[in-house]
Amino acid sequence: MAKTQAMVNEFTVGTETDQEIPVVRPPPGSDVYLIARLWQWWPILELERGQTYRLHIASMDWQHGFSLQPVNINTQILPGYEMVLTVTPDTDGDQTIICNEFCGIGHHTMVGKIRITEGGS
């Protein structure tokens, strides 16, 4: 959580939703952190197309499933472990993060976002 909060503090460019989830634009080539927690993916990430990032995903509570659509990245996220994926987005637009492991009564609302932008935006 500390690494994620430090990234949010340094690279936030705005907020979205009624929950005011931070939108974070980290520099290309950096380590990027994403937290799964009941029933939310936090924060919203804004990444540049064609740039490579190391995406660190961790759960703060239960087992969650990270499914990134439409690119079909799918992995389990377990408490106490950090899943690290190297990603290089190749299309612009919003990609949806879905929790595909049942995590409780609010599971159906656990949807997040990674926004892919043209470089320099």
Side-chain angles (χ1 to χ4, degrees), residues 53-67:
Y53 301 84
R54 286 170 305 283
L55 178 58
H56 300 252
I57 313 168
S59 170
M60 300 303 293
D61 44 38
W62 306 105
Q63 175 177 329
H64 295 284
F66 175 87
S67 178

Side-chain angles (χ1 to χ4, degrees), residues 4 7 12 15 37 41 47 54 56 64 68 75 77 86-87 93 96 99 105 108-109 114 120:
T4 308
M7 179 192 70
T12 294
T15 61
R37 59 185 179 195
W41 295 99
L47 308 178
R54 286 170 305 283
H56 300 252
H64 295 284
L68 186 62
T75 189
I77 308 302
T86 300
V87 296
T96 303
C99 180
I105 195 165
H108 67 285
T109 67
I114 297 178

